[in-house]
Amino acid sequence: MPELSRAEVAHVAMLARIQLSDAELDKLAGQLDQIVGFVATVGEIAADDIPPMSHPLPLVNVSRPDVVRPSLSSADALAAAPDAQAGRFAVPRILDEE
């Protein structure tokens, strides 16, 4: 794979809206080229009998089961609200519809 050029790094930085100095562009070009090389190496050794995975270890859900417990009623929750409409908190609009 050809080396990443300084111009390619500058283009990616522009797309990401990151302003980089000339020295930073030169430094990042070399670093990003190494990263791309490492990824290519991993791609070369990937075996067909190994399925792709997002994590090296199996993930286990650690959240507790959803259990209904006593809580505030809607009327109690809205009792101290500055404004409520249709059983919900009313908040001022912050976005205009266009």
Side-chain angles (χ1 to χ4, degrees), residues 1 8-9 11 16 23-24 28-30 40 44 54 61 64-65 68-69 74 76 78 86 88 92 95 97:
M1 174 168 239
E8 290 170 320
V9 174
H11 180 70
E24 290 171 323
L28 283 174
E44 290 172 3
S54 61
N61 189 353
R64 63 173 173 74
V68 177
R69 298 187 308 188
S74 179
D76 290 339
L78 294 171
R88 297 182 180 98
L95 300 176
E97 291 185 31

Side-chain angles (χ1 to χ4, degrees), residues 3-10 13 20-36 38:
E3 290 186 21
L4 289 174
S5 70
R6 187 176 181 276
E8 290 170 320
V9 174
L20 298 173
S21 68
D22 290 340
E24 290 171 323
L25 285 173
D26 293 333
K27 182 178 178 181
L28 283 174
Q31 291 175 343
L32 290 174
D33 192 50
Q34 284 183 328
I35 292 170
V36 170
F38 295 145

